[in-house]
Amino acid sequence: MNSNSSLTGGLTVAVLAVALIISGYGAAIAIGGAGSHVTTSTVTTTVTNSSASSPYVVTLVITTGNTFNSTVGAQPGFYVLGPNGLESSASIYLPAHRLIKLVIVNYDEGNASLVIPNDNVVSGTTNGTVFVASNANVNSSQGRSGIVIKGGQTLTSVPPAILAHTFTVPSLNLNVPVPLSSTVVAYFTVDKAGNYIWFCETACGFGSTGTAGAMSTPGWMTGSLVAS
Ligand SMILES: [Cu+2]
């Protein structure tokens, strides 16, 4: 080895060091970006939740008749109700170690069959219940004088005949069944920060089994639940 090659070796180390510093900086920017997002959520929290002891409210809206593509046609979809309106449910952000008040407003009037047995049964919520309002089959009736709302009803399961969708996080043992045309309220806590996958577990999608299209596409009937 002559002095030239040892000089080259030194340069290589220097270049590698610079590259490492740059990539480290890149990672810092990426982490900062994620942190900014969390900060944005925190601002939302301040607006919708007056104190840290009150539940953190997450509102999801299920709309129907959304065009998926020309082959599949319309599909139902979950959206997050954010400060600027309906946002993608591909990632749903919420705090860990804090009571979550989950409100699901479902405009879908059609029922769908279960993909997994018993997913009409509530699990993982406070008291193992959901509170269902504004569903004609559960707590209101319709007559010549209009719709009579009888108030909400607390349920431990939703009859399969009126089940439209579920909000299910298997690794949290969380299952919130959603009747057709209803507003559902459930409380739960995520004990461990992390990135979880949520699904709808009714056959509400495309294809012979109903598991394609919306069912298998993030931001429609599946996505990430990010607890931090
Ligand atoms: Cu669904």
Side-chain angles (χ1 to χ4, degrees):
M1 183 181 280
N2 60 30
S3 60
N4 268 352
S5 66
S6 109
L7 176 63
T8 311
L11 276 175
T12 307
V13 169
V15 168
L16 274 175
V18 169
L20 280 172
I21 289 166
I22 290 172
S23 66
Y25 188 57
I29 289 172
I31 291 165
S36 304
H37 198 120
V38 171
T39 306
T40 307
S41 299
T42 308
V43 170
T44 309
T45 307
T46 311
V47 171
T48 54
N49 301 282
S50 54
S51 79
S53 61
S54 64
Y56 180 91
V57 180
V58 176
T59 303
L60 303 178
V61 178
I62 300 172
T63 64
T64 187
N66 311 291
T67 302
F68 191 85
N69 63 36
S70 58
T71 305
V72 170
Q75 293 277 269
F78 272 92
Y79 290 86
V80 178
L81 181 60
N84 300 311
L86 298 184
E87 300 170 355
S88 173
S89 62
S91 293
I92 299 172
Y93 298 92
L94 49 76
H97 316 294
R98 182 169 165 189
L99 186 63
I100 305 297
K101 180 181 183 180
L102 175 67
V103 180
I104 300 176
V105 181
N106 176 29
Y107 288 101
D108 197 343
E109 297 180 330
N111 77 310
S113 58
L114 287 176
V115 176
I116 298 171
N118 292 329
D119 273 343
N120 62 314
V121 178
V122 181
S123 68
T125 66
T126 302
N127 298 326
T129 62
V130 293
F131 181 81
V132 177
S134 70
N135 175 269
N137 296 278
V138 174
N139 57 14
S140 64
S141 60
Q142 193 170 339
R144 293 172 66 94
S145 57
I147 297 171
V148 179
I149 301 293
K150 297 174 182 169
Q153 188 164 335
T154 300
L155 300 177
T156 56
S157 69
V158 168
I162 61 163
L163 187 69
H165 302 280
T166 72
F167 183 80
T168 308
V169 187
S171 54
L172 296 175
N173 188 37
L174 177 68
N175 187 51
V176 178
V178 181
L180 44 89
S181 298
S182 64
T183 301
V184 175
V185 181
Y187 292 86
F188 65 93
T189 305
V190 180
D191 293 329
K192 189 167 177 282
N195 203 330
Y196 305 91
I197 299 177
W198 68 267
F199 302 94
C200 167
E201 289 186 340
T202 66
C204 68
F206 180 71
S208 57
T209 60
T211 56
M215 278 286 283
S216 48
T217 307
W220 291 76
M221 283 287 152
T222 184
S224 294
L225 185 82
V226 183
S228 56

